[in-house]
Amino acid sequence: MHTFRRSTSLLLLFAFSGVSGLIYQSVWSHYLGLTLGHAAYAQTLVLAIFMGSMAVGAWLASKKSSAWKNPIGAYAIIEAVIGIFGILFHSIFVAYSSLSQDSILPQLSENSAHIYQWATASLLIFPQCVLLGMTFPLLSAGFIRADCQQAGKALGGLYFSNSFGAAIGALIATFFLLPEIGMPGAMAVAGVLNIIVALGAWFASREPNQAETINVAVPMVISAAGEYAKPNFSLLIYLAAGFTGATSFAYEIVWVRLLNQALGTTLHSFELMLSAFILGLAFGGLWISRNSNRLGDAIRYAGLAQVGMGLTALLSAVVFANSFVWVGWLTNNLAHDSQGYSLYNLGSAAIALLVMFPAAFFAGMTLPLFTMGLLRAGYGESAIGKIYAANTAGAIIGVLLTVHVLVPAIGLNLSLALAAAGDLVLGLLLLQFIWVGPARRLPAICGIAGLAVLVITIQFGKPDPIAQVSGVFRTGKMLDPNIVEVAYLRDGKTSTISVIYSPKNNSAFIATNGKPDASMSLALNQGPSSDEATMLMMAALPLATHSDPKTVGIIGWGSGLTTHTILGSPRLLRVDNVEIEPAMYEGAKLFGTRVERGYTDPRSKIIIEDARTYFSTGAKKYDIIISEPSNPWVSGVASLFTDEFYLFLGNHLEDKGVLLQWMQSYEISDELLAKMVSALLKTYPHVEVYLTNDFDILFLASKSAIPRLDYSKLQSAELQQELPRVGLGNIEGFQLRRIGSEKVLRNFVKIMGATGNSDYHPVLALEAPRSRFMGDTATFLPTLVDNGLPLLDMLDKRNPVSCKADLIPIESSRFQRRHKIACSIVDSFNSKSFRMDSIQNAAPNVAKLIEITLQQSNATITQDELHSWSDGLSELARMSIGLVPTSDVENIWIQTGWLYNQQLPLVSDIMQTYQATAQRDPVRMKSFALKVLNSNNPNLADPLREQMVVIAMLGSASLNQKQAVRNIDAKYGVHIKPTQDMTMVRTYLLAWADE
């Protein structure tokens, strides 16, 4: 009983060691992502170093096996050292990162930088990983010395406990530690766990009965199935262990990449997939632990496990092919709230388990079985470390070969099939040539089963390309194959890139793992897509504001339209475009002439590289940097919106250089958008912000004052061929889309309580996937413009565009649609014979309300009519006053000939308030608005009362009467029914008053 309690305690401690080990692996991938850039590369390197260093550690443990007098005591010391490394890691990394970025990388060429980064990144985690690799052999030796007849049970039990802890650790790191205490805190927690494990193991190693058995080496035991006849038996087993390690991790890489297309490329989905894979390994070890005593020949079962691994890996393709339907069901049927997101993650985990668990289960059996085979054949306890080293060394080869050779060359599906075929062949070889027991028909049966499963996989395991590119995790729907066709689909090193073509519209979009990145019409004589305005403005804004731009650096290729557009300026000498995924660059060629300058102009240079690495080397500086990354919920992208990254980019801008940053307001909340904006403002004191369409926001940022936009700098024939199509044919097209300056943004950040977005506290990466699932939209900034009142005109010198401006109507622009409605109202009031036709066409619902209001205005408004009249009047104000300049609304709000001249005093006060607001007269705005509010007339409609509160607050703010702003809201705001738009404006004014 005493031995049982000690064994149970050690298994539990090893489970906690597994928790800390996967916390390290998860968090290291974030740290090294800051050095190596793209998350996929960081995860690959961490995995390779993690496994490779552990292989070294296991090999070292095996070499010194006989010298360990107290393996469990040695294990305790190693756990303690690992813990100390974990606690100190953040400080070491910060010092290393600062030295690299500031002093070393600027002096290196690109090739030298690569060598430096990969070598030093490896050194950062190599010592801890070597020590981690020693833990399993040491603890196994301690167990087996205590009871050599229970080697299989001990090996399987340790493998299960450590792997199960690892699966839990991956989830704890991502779903709890990183959101709550960030990367430094997570590392510290893992370090403390190691120290606790060390203390527990040390006390266990001191127990009296342990001393009696600790020096007993594992005896030579002959296999129950008879002697193995093959020469070099141990070498063959080591090679087999290495091979199965390679295929296991090849599966993991391929499964993650495949499931990214179904579940979405988020940090949460990756950790769920990783946990599903490790859980399969754990339960494979558990099966061995519980059944080891009845397994007569371990190598025979290892051969069967290899066959099972290959068969189930092939069948996983069939499961994956159906996963899009299941994800679509989850997306369509779960509530899109926080609870629904938790259920979505559970469903994602279940899908990942269905794909990964069976093959991972068999993979988890192989290492204990191979080790048992060697021990039973008399190779001694050193075999534990050697087999573990061979397995982990194979894992390195599998990871690197899969990521850098197989997937780019033959794609994900064939890579999976090739690894599965390798496992089948290995299993048959083990059954046929190494094991010499009875049942010689077994290899033939396994071979036939393999062929049958291969046929099933070929028939049912190929995913529908339409499903792969549909992004069902976002929409819950498949694209219609009758409307679109997949013109390009390629598995790149980091992601799967597709181009989807619509023959009917002659348009296309390019997508990453099913998430659209950019769309456009393929001919200039067609109407533009909404994305085109964004991509063209990204090029045009810095060109129109920088005094003399010569060099441009662009982060992200996307469709290539931004690069193509900016090359339309003859003033530029060089445009460097940095793209991490070669398949993106190749796929975008299908956009043809729309992006051809990016491919043919000699000034254009494509660099397949991570942006951090490229900009760091050679001390590069640019006049313009354009950053157009994907959405921040995509794994690895959030690191391009951090305090540290914006400071880094600022160091690579020339004096008076400008940064153009694209942020999406769709699938993200205002709170998360504010975190990105806060990070931007920490480095750039001067910022101008624009809304290009309905949801894409551009930030033009600089450390120096930004010059006024000069449209004459955009007059080249190439630019004029593109810009007018998207409503940017004159200065007014830009003016219309402008929201405001850094003053507006600082107030926005204060309202949202945002403090930035740090590399080391990746809240954005962790919260953005939830925000995407919930369908959040960041509406605060656009609402400050089109709420109907001249908020930013008066507080930030924003100039509304006149209806006389020559604007090309673009329906994909939120501001332009509202401007069009306002101008249709202006046109109606300016016409000699008032007609509602233009308003009816622009906004039928608004037209009906205005029509009723005007009918009532032909006579004295009675108290009974006051509610409906004031409701309609407030809507007329909301759709006109703040959207156009004062001169445009002369005949609506200043010369009010449409209103019968004999009215109640309250009606006159209301009209005086709106007149003052249209004229941007803060004194009269405040005075008359308060007069209306103090009337306390119960017949006034709530929307009008709310406008009066806001107008009084805005007048006070314009007069710099901050206390008055707060007092008005406190006195009158509590008595009205709030609307979303006016609530945002009131919040903005209150925050302004708190400066």
Side-chain angles (χ1 to χ4, degrees):
M1 180 64 70
H2 184 77
T3 302
F4 173 79
R5 285 199 303 268
R6 189 176 66 86
S7 298
T8 303
S9 298
L10 286 172
L11 288 173
L12 184 61
L13 289 173
F14 206 40
F16 280 110
S17 179
V19 171
S20 68
L22 254 292
I23 292 173
Y24 287 138
Q25 183 178 335
S26 295
V27 180
W28 279 335
S29 67
H30 291 287
Y31 275 107
L32 296 193
L34 303 176
T35 297
L36 303 174
H38 195 277
Y41 283 165
Q43 289 162 359
T44 299
L45 180 65
V46 169
L47 196 56
I49 298 172
F50 194 78
M51 301 306 295
S53 304
M54 288 178 69
V56 172
W59 179 79
L60 289 173
S62 70
K63 294 291 287 183
K64 300 292 183 180
S65 176
S66 59
W68 299 111
K69 293 183 180 181
N70 187 339
I72 296 177
Y75 165 76
I77 294 171
I78 287 172
E79 285 282 356
V81 175
I82 293 170
I84 293 169
F85 268 121
I87 292 169
L88 296 176
F89 182 84
H90 178 73
S91 298
I92 295 170
F93 181 85
V94 170
Y96 154 78
S97 182
S98 177
L99 178 65
S100 297
Q101 297 291 344
D102 298 339
S103 303
I104 298 177
L105 286 172
Q107 309 301 320
L108 300 178
S109 66
E110 290 173 37
N111 290 334
S112 300
H114 277 299
I115 296 171
Y116 170 80
Q117 285 179 306
W118 286 73
T120 54
S122 300
L123 288 174
L124 281 172
I125 63 175
F126 180 80
Q128 300 98 301
C129 292
V130 170
L131 295 173
L132 283 168
M134 299 176 73
T135 58
F136 182 79
L138 284 172
L139 204 53
S140 299
F143 263 71
I144 293 169
R145 287 186 187 183
D147 187 355
C148 62
Q149 301 303 319
Q150 298 294 320
K153 183 177 181 179
L155 290 167
L158 287 170
Y159 196 72
F160 166 75
S161 64
N162 192 247
S163 298
F164 186 80
I168 301 300
L171 299 179
I172 289 175
T174 300
F175 289 93
F176 178 71
L177 294 180
L178 287 176
E180 295 297 328
I181 55 179
M183 289 155 57
M187 291 297 292
V189 166
V192 169
L193 268 178
N194 286 125
I195 291 173
I196 292 171
V197 170
L199 291 172
W202 182 258
F203 285 120
S205 73
R206 300 293 92 194
E207 293 185 10
N209 72 323
Q210 173 66 6
E212 298 171 8
T213 59
I214 202 71
N215 295 320
V216 180
V218 176
M220 304 290 281
V221 180
I222 302 300
S223 170
E227 290 191 26
Y228 292 101
K230 296 295 176 185
N232 300 316
F233 171 72
S234 62
L235 177 60
L236 292 173
I237 296 301
Y238 294 142
L239 290 174
F243 188 87
T244 192
T247 56
S248 297
F249 281 85
Y251 295 146
E252 182 191 0
I253 297 294
V254 171
W255 284 330
V256 168
R257 287 284 307 277
L258 288 172
L259 285 170
N260 279 342
Q261 301 166 37
L263 301 177
T265 313
T266 70
L267 184 58
H268 291 162
S269 64
F270 172 77
E271 296 299 340
L272 289 169
M273 290 182 249
L274 180 62
S275 293
F277 177 73
I278 297 172
L279 202 62
L281 297 176
F283 277 89
L286 180 64
W287 191 91
I288 295 298
S289 177
R290 291 187 172 181
N291 296 276
S292 60
N293 289 338
R294 66 182 184 84
L295 301 181
D297 191 309
I299 303 304
R300 174 188 181 185
Y301 282 96
L304 290 172
Q306 288 294 149
V307 171
M309 190 172 161
L311 294 177
T312 50
L314 286 173
L315 290 173
S316 72
V318 179
V319 180
F320 167 71
N322 290 280
S323 64
F324 297 97
V325 176
W326 305 330
V327 173
W329 186 92
L330 290 172
T331 304
N332 289 324
N333 289 279
L334 292 176
H336 285 257
D337 54 21
S338 187
Q339 183 179 4
Y341 184 65
S342 298
L343 293 173
Y344 177 81
N345 279 329
L346 287 174
S348 299
I351 292 169
L353 283 169
L354 285 172
V355 171
M356 296 180 167
F357 188 89
F361 176 82
F362 287 112
M365 296 170 64
T366 56
L367 185 65
L369 285 170
F370 283 136
T371 310
M372 284 169 57
L374 288 175
L375 290 174
R376 289 178 176 180
Y379 284 88
E381 72 178 30
S382 66
I384 302 170
K386 291 177 180 177
I387 204 78
Y388 193 70
N391 186 257
T392 50
I396 305 171
I397 297 171
V399 168
L400 298 178
L401 189 65
T402 303
V403 171
H404 297 288
V405 179
L406 292 180
V407 172
I410 62 176
L412 293 167
N413 293 88
L414 284 178
S415 296
L416 178 68
L418 185 62
D423 276 329
L424 285 169
V425 171
L426 176 59
L428 293 174
L429 288 173
L430 289 173
L431 292 173
Q432 183 68 36
F433 297 110
I434 295 182
W435 178 70
V436 294
R440 303 293 296 169
R441 292 177 296 176
L442 191 57
I445 294 171
C446 291
I448 294 170
L451 290 174
V453 170
L454 184 61
V455 171
I456 293 171
T457 303
I458 291 172
Q459 182 67 28
F460 302 105
K462 185 173 176 56
D464 181 0
I466 286 289
Q468 289 180 271
V469 304
S470 292
V472 291
F473 56 88
R474 295 176 69 236
T475 65
K477 300 176 182 177
M478 301 288 186
L479 295 173
D480 189 342
N482 297 314
I483 297 176
V484 298
E485 58 188 54
V486 181
Y488 179 90
L489 182 62
R490 182 171 299 176
D491 298 318
K493 280 188 176 184
T494 64
S495 53
T496 297
I497 305 299
S498 57
V499 176
I500 297 86
Y501 172 62
S502 173
K504 180 180 179 181
N505 300 322
N506 192 32
S507 63
F509 68 86
I510 192 165
T512 303
N513 293 329
K515 189 269 166 189
D517 286 318
S519 65
M520 73 175 79
S521 300
L522 297 182
L524 287 171
N525 59 3
Q526 299 173 228
S529 71
S530 61
D531 286 344
E532 290 182 54
T534 301
M535 294 181 283
L536 290 166
M537 275 194 79
M538 278 194 283
L541 274 173
L543 285 176
T545 51
H546 195 285
S547 59
D548 187 26
K550 298 299 182 185
T551 56
V552 179
I554 302 179
I555 301 171
W557 183 262
S559 67
L561 184 58
T562 301
T563 302
H564 169 84
T565 302
I566 206 163
L567 285 165
S569 172
R571 296 187 293 156
L572 301 178
L573 299 179
R574 189 178 84 251
V575 176
D576 294 343
N577 198 299
V578 187
E579 169 59 51
I580 193 73
E581 178 50 67
M584 177 69 77
Y585 177 76
E586 294 299 322
K589 288 180 179 178
L590 273 67
F591 290 111
T593 57
R594 292 299 316 276
V595 298
E596 66 177 341
R597 283 195 291 271
Y599 294 94
T600 62
D601 193 307
R603 296 172 296 167
S604 177
K605 180 183 178 184
I606 180 71
I607 300 100
I608 304 300
E609 182 58 272
D610 166 70
R612 285 182 188 254
T613 300
Y614 181 73
F615 280 97
S616 294
T617 57
K620 298 177 180 66
K621 288 201 171 186
Y622 294 91
D623 297 313
I624 297 169
I625 293 177
I626 299 174
S627 180
E628 47 178 333
S630 188
N631 302 62
W633 56 261
V634 177
S635 180
V637 173
S639 63
L640 300 180
F641 299 99
T642 63
D643 306 349
E644 294 84 357
F645 187 67
Y646 285 130
L647 178 62
F648 167 79
L649 287 183
N651 293 333
H652 294 280
L653 280 172
E654 297 283 5
D655 293 340
K656 299 184 180 180
V658 293
L659 167 69
L660 194 288
Q661 176 69 63
W662 171 37
M663 295 182 192
Q664 304 86 357
S665 67
Y666 60 93
E667 297 180 333
I668 198 166
S669 66
D670 277 305
E671 291 78 9
L672 293 180
L673 179 66
K675 288 184 179 296
M676 297 187 284
V677 174
S678 176
L680 183 72
L681 290 170
K682 287 182 179 181
T683 296
Y684 304 95
H686 304 280
V687 185
E688 296 284 327
V689 57
Y690 295 79
L691 181 71
T692 67
N693 45 39
D694 282 4
F695 303 110
D696 292 327
I697 304 178
L698 300 183
F699 298 83
L700 188 67
S702 180
K703 294 181 179 180
S704 305
I706 300 173
R708 292 173 61 88
L709 194 148
D710 183 357
Y711 195 81
S712 67
K713 296 176 180 178
L714 304 175
Q715 292 297 335
S716 70
E718 291 83 357
L719 290 173
Q720 287 303 305
Q721 189 181 29
E722 301 273 359
L723 294 176
R725 289 181 62 253
V726 296
L728 300 175
N730 50 35
I731 190 72
E732 289 84 3
F734 289 86
Q735 183 181 337
L736 179 68
R737 289 164 173 79
R738 182 182 178 273
I739 294 176
S741 71
E742 67 279 350
K743 295 178 182 178
V744 176
L745 296 176
R746 293 189 190 284
N747 212 24
F748 169 60
V749 166
K750 181 168 68 173
I751 291 165
M752 297 301 159
T755 56
N757 177 42
S758 170
D759 281 343
Y760 304 117
H761 294 269
V763 177
L764 182 62
L766 295 160
E767 290 300 321
R770 184 190 308 275
S771 192
R772 179 204 63 77
F773 179 83
M774 293 171 63
D776 288 337
T777 301
T779 59
F780 197 99
L781 289 174
T783 299
L784 297 180
V785 171
D786 61 12
N787 62 82
L789 298 179
L791 175 70
L792 299 186
D793 305 21
M794 300 180 70
L795 298 183
D796 197 55
K797 298 180 181 179
R798 184 181 186 274
N799 296 314
V801 175
S802 173
C803 294
K804 298 175 183 178
D806 184 19
L807 294 176
I808 297 174
I810 301 295
E811 287 302 312
S812 62
S813 168
R814 168 175 170 165
F815 289 169
Q816 193 153 355
R817 287 197 306 273
R818 290 295 302 274
H819 186 265
K820 180 181 177 181
I821 294 172
C823 290
S824 70
I825 296 172
V826 169
D827 290 343
S828 296
F829 278 83
N830 286 345
S831 63
K832 292 182 180 180
S833 56
F834 186 90
R835 298 181 62 181
M836 297 290 293
D837 295 356
S838 59
I839 310 177
Q840 287 280 6
N841 293 332
N845 294 335
V846 175
K848 184 65 176 177
L849 198 60
I850 292 173
E851 189 173 16
I852 295 171
T853 303
L854 292 177
Q855 288 173 357
Q856 293 175 321
S857 300
N858 287 328
T860 301
I861 309 298
T862 67
Q863 288 290 342
D864 291 339
E865 294 173 325
L866 191 58
H867 184 276
S868 62
W869 178 81
S870 62
D871 191 29
L873 192 71
S874 68
E875 182 66 10
L876 177 61
R878 189 178 76 85
M879 302 304 294
S880 60
I881 290 181
L883 299 169
V884 291
T886 301
S887 58
D888 283 1
V889 294
E890 176 80 18
N891 291 330
I892 305 177
W893 299 110
I894 300 171
Q895 303 296 329
T896 55
W898 51 272
L899 178 68
Y900 185 64
N901 58 11
Q902 295 184 13
Q903 297 292 346
L904 297 170
L906 179 59
V907 170
S908 298
D909 290 339
I910 292 171
M911 294 306 299
Q912 289 281 0
T913 304
Y914 283 133
Q915 181 189 70
T917 306
Q919 292 175 324
R920 280 66 168 169
D921 184 337
V923 174
R924 293 177 60 237
M925 287 169 62
K926 177 184 177 183
S927 174
F928 282 105
L930 289 176
K931 196 173 182 182
V932 172
L933 291 169
N934 288 327
S935 71
N936 292 318
N937 192 305
N939 294 322
L940 287 178
D942 282 335
L944 184 136
R945 287 160 53 83
E946 187 178 31
Q947 281 183 346
M948 293 296 121
V949 172
V950 172
I951 289 170
M953 293 173 68
L954 178 56
S956 300
S958 297
L959 296 169
N960 203 33
Q961 298 172 350
K962 296 182 179 182
Q963 187 60 47
V965 172
R966 295 190 287 268
N967 291 342
I968 291 168
D969 185 77
K971 182 176 181 179
Y972 301 103
V974 295
H975 301 297
I976 59 175
K977 183 179 180 180
T979 60
Q980 184 178 10
D981 285 7
M982 288 297 106
T983 297
M984 291 183 184
V985 176
R986 285 167 59 193
T987 302
Y988 183 87
L989 288 167
L990 287 171
W992 175 89
D994 286 336
E995 290 180 353

